Structures are given as structure tokens and as C-alpha cells.
Amino acid sequence: MENENQPLIIDGKKTSATIKEELAKEVVKIKEAGGKVPHLAAVLVGDDGASQTYVGAKVKACEQIGFTSTLVKLEADISEEDLLAEVDKINENPDIDGMIVQLPLPKQISVEKVTARIRPEKDVDGFTPANVGRMALNWPTYVSATPNGILELIKRYEIETSGKHCVVIGRSHIVGSPMSILMGRNDTPGNCTVTLTHSRTKNLPEICRSADILIVAIGKPEFVTKDMVKPGAVIIDVGIHRVPDETKKSGFRLIGDVKFDEVAPISSAITPVPGGVGPMTIASLLYNTLMAAQGRVYP
Ligand code: NAD
């Protein structure tokens, strides 16, 4: 029988605004106690438009909630050695609590080398091998922004995960793979039986139909259709795609990896695009920066 009830719309826009308010209150408390305000440094290499927008939004969010931020802008033709030296400078600067290096990086630079150079204590993106390892071990860590945002939505919307079958589509290092680890951990949220699927998976629709919780990070517009979803499932749509739309002032609209209009009516809860997972990422980064400033991961 299909669940044609109204699904719970998991509102990431509202939740991220709430988290930012909570963080802003923390900053006020820190200031009142004479403590040090959290300080995030963002490194931007080159002039890629999307990267500039993302970094700009992160810096602006810091300002909004009262964090200190530093934007380090570097030329696109910077050598790997010089970029590593910039990372070292931030590593050594006692005033900076957290750092991010905006990806992608130009071709001459090894992302692995740069990531590994960031001190784990300051790695608020949670991309260093040390912090990914700590996540897998369920030790205190900085969980990277998108997975952290998804966990926070699941927590705040009190979605039961224990004993559920969670199917993750996509195994990228930034979304699918960490999500599969997090949902299987002995924790709340967690304790799922997890199936991680990817481009070599056989019978994907059948596997998806057995999911109580379906997390979709495949990067293909409206890939997940109604026939791939069990009625009553919880759907987390990570995808973001621009499609031309003449009715919009911008000339485009955003859609996800899930065909929302047909999947939402049979789901029990679903994240919309836009306004679902997307807005949560900056809130997660800010939260990790506060944790760094308070020494909550590496006391
Ligand atoms: P990616 O391209 O790195 O990974 C896609 C994954 O999908 C790969 O692991 C691949 O194996 C798998 N895949 C490809 N074809 C498949 C198939 N036919 N069947 C099963 N699996 C298949 O993507 P990503 O970086 O994880 O991003 C996924 C989507 O999420 C993109 O649309 C991206 O824009 C979006 N995204 C959103 C946020 C956010 O903040 N909301 C953050 C990161 C990524």
C-alpha cells in the first residue's frame, strides 16, 4: 500500500538558521566571559567563480554570527611548495582555530599533499586522513560539512535510524563514503544496516526499494524515481543541479538527484532541493570551527 500522506519536509534552511542563531549566542557568551572568538581561515586559490561564491558565503556566515575570519587569496599559478608554505603559516598561527582550503585546486597542486599538510586540530573540513580515521573509529573528530549536516538533520527531526536499512547511492570521499560509515556506527544517529552502492552496483533499483533510509549522492539530476523507493522511506537528497527555467529571474532553477514530485508523496520524510541538505553545510563548518576554538576534538 502506498503512503500518500503528506511527507515530513526536512527543512535544512530553517535548521541551518537555527544552528547559526545558537552559534551566535555562544559567541556572545564567549565574549562576555572574556574568551577568544573562534577564527576561521579560508584559502582560495585562483579565480573560479563557483569557488569564490562558496568561500564568500563561508566568510559572510562567519561575520554574521560574530566569528573572526581570514580570507587568503592566492594566484592560480601558485606552486605547490608555496601553497604548502601558506598552509604551514596558518598551522603555526595561534590565533587561527580552523582552516579550509577550497577545492578544487589547480592542476599543478596535489590535493592529497595539501590536505595532509593541514594540522588535524585545525582541519574543520574533516578531510585529513587523521580525522577521517577518527570518524571511522567513532572518536571525537570534525565530521566533514555535508555528512555532518545530514546527521544533524536526522537528529533534529528525530528520525529513527537504529536497526533500519540505509542505502547510500554514491561513494565519493566527501559524501557517500563517509555517510555509509556514519550510518553504520554504534551511535545515534547510526546503528543502521548499511548498503553502499556505486557505479558498479548491480540491481540498484531493487536494492533501493529495500531501503528504509535512502541517501542519494550520485550527481545525476532526478535519477531516483518513484519505482526505486519503498513507500514510507526517508529520503535524503544530496544532489544539486541547475536546470534552465525561463520563468525564473535567474534563468535557472535547482533540482536534486531525486525526482521530488513523484517520490515525496510516497516517502515519510524527504529533504527538498533547494532548502534541504545544501544550507546545512556552512552551519556544519561553523560548528566545527567552534569545536576547534574550544578544543573539543583535540583537548
Ligand atoms: P561524485 O560525482 O563524486 O560521486 C558520485 C558517485 O555516484 C560515485 O561514487 C559513483 O560511483 C556513483 N554513481 C555514478 N553513477 C552511478 C550509477 N549509475 N549507479 C550507482 N552509483 C553511481 O559526487 P559527489 O561529490 O558525492 O556529489 C553528488 C551530488 O551531490 C552532486 O550533485 C553534488 O553537486 C552534490 N553535492 C551537494 C552538496 C551539498 O552541500 N548539498 C555537497 C556535496 C555534493
Side-chain angles (χ1 to χ4, degrees), residues 89-151:
K89 261 196 239 167
I90 300 173
N91 277 337
E92 299 302 331
N93 184 338
D95 193 64
I96 296 174
D97 302 298
M99 119 163 68
I100 57 161
V101 177
Q102 185 66 42
L103 302 180
L105 289 172
K107 281 196 278 305
Q108 73 275 18
I109 291 165
S110 153
V111 176
E112 285 80 6
K113 264 196 200 165
V114 173
T115 304
R117 193 70 158 248
I118 298 170
R119 249 191 217 158
E121 295 92 317
K122 297 198 177 188
D123 167 35
V124 288
D125 253 343
F127 288 160
T128 58
N131 284 325
V132 175
R134 291 170 74 101
M135 175 201 61
L137 293 165
N138 206 1
W139 291 9
T141 190
Y142 306 110
V143 174
S144 61
T146 305
N148 193 37
I150 295 170
L151 287 187

Side-chain angles (χ1 to χ4, degrees), residues 146 170-172 175 198-199 204 217-220 238-241 278 281:
T146 305
R171 60 177 161 189
S172 72
V175 192
H198 45 75
S199 52
L204 184 66
I218 183 173
K220 294 187 189 227
V238 186
I240 310 176
H241 311 274
T281 54

Side-chain angles (χ1 to χ4, degrees), residues 8-282:
L8 171 68
I9 302 293
I10 301 172
D11 189 339
K13 200 172 163 195
K14 202 169 96 192
T15 308
S16 79
T18 305
I19 293 171
K20 283 187 198 160
E21 277 167 28
E22 292 167 4
L23 293 171
K25 281 184 193 153
E26 281 290 324
V27 174
V28 172
K29 272 197 225 159
I30 291 169
K31 281 186 179 162
E32 280 171 1
K36 185 187 156 301
V37 167
H39 184 171
L40 175 74
V43 179
L44 174 65
V45 183
D47 45 19
D48 176 70
S51 293
Q52 278 178 344
T53 308
Y54 295 143
V55 170
K58 291 168 188 175
V59 168
K60 198 172 137 210
C62 282
E63 285 164 10
Q64 273 174 352
I65 65 162
F67 283 11
T68 308
S69 63
T70 298
L71 174 59
V72 180
K73 276 184 164 179
L74 302 166
E75 296 297 326
D77 61 357
I78 189 171
S79 69
E80 187 177 271
E81 201 187 342
D82 287 350
L83 177 56
L84 291 171
E86 291 291 337
V87 170
D88 286 342
K89 261 196 239 167
I90 300 173
N91 277 337
E92 299 302 331
N93 184 338
D95 193 64
I96 296 174
D97 302 298
M99 119 163 68
I100 57 161
V101 177
Q102 185 66 42
L103 302 180
L105 289 172
K107 281 196 278 305
Q108 73 275 18
I109 291 165
S110 153
V111 176
E112 285 80 6
K113 264 196 200 165
V114 173
T115 304
R117 193 70 158 248
I118 298 170
R119 249 191 217 158
E121 295 92 317
K122 297 198 177 188
D123 167 35
V124 288
D125 253 343
F127 288 160
T128 58
N131 284 325
V132 175
R134 291 170 74 101
M135 175 201 61
L137 293 165
N138 206 1
W139 291 9
T141 190
Y142 306 110
V143 174
S144 61
T146 305
N148 193 37
I150 295 170
L151 287 187
E152 204 56 32
L153 286 175
I154 291 174
K155 245 190 245 172
R156 290 184 184 234
Y157 278 86
E158 297 179 347
I159 289 165
E160 180 60 75
T161 58
S162 181
K164 304 287 184 189
H165 183 207
C166 175
V167 173
V168 180
I169 312 184
R171 60 177 161 189
S172 72
H173 292 325
I174 61 162
V175 192
S177 178
M179 266 337 287
S180 70
I181 296 168
L182 291 162
M183 296 303 278
R185 297 194 311 187
N186 184 1
D187 209 337
T188 306
N191 283 318
C192 285
T193 305
V194 178
T195 305
L196 177 63
T197 69
H198 45 75
S199 52
R200 305 288 177 94
T201 297
K202 291 186 175 132
N203 304 330
L204 184 66
E206 194 183 321
I207 295 169
C208 291
R209 276 195 297 275
S210 71
D212 302 307
I213 301 170
L214 185 60
I215 300 177
V216 194
I218 183 173
K220 294 187 189 227
E222 298 186 332
F223 178 86
V224 171
T225 47
K226 185 180 170 181
D227 56 304
M228 293 168 76
V229 173
K230 176 163 86 175
V234 173
I235 312 291
I236 307 289
D237 186 356
V238 186
I240 310 176
H241 311 274
R242 275 184 180 194
V243 290
D245 185 340
E246 285 171 7
T247 67
K248 302 276 177 195
K249 218 169 99 191
S250 58
F252 69 86
R253 68 189 161 92
L254 295 176
I255 59 169
D257 285 351
V258 174
K259 208 161 188 179
F260 185 89
D261 289 348
E262 62 175 57
V263 170
I266 63 160
S267 68
S268 60
I270 186 165
T271 60
V273 179
V277 174
M280 293 296 291
T281 54
I282 288 184

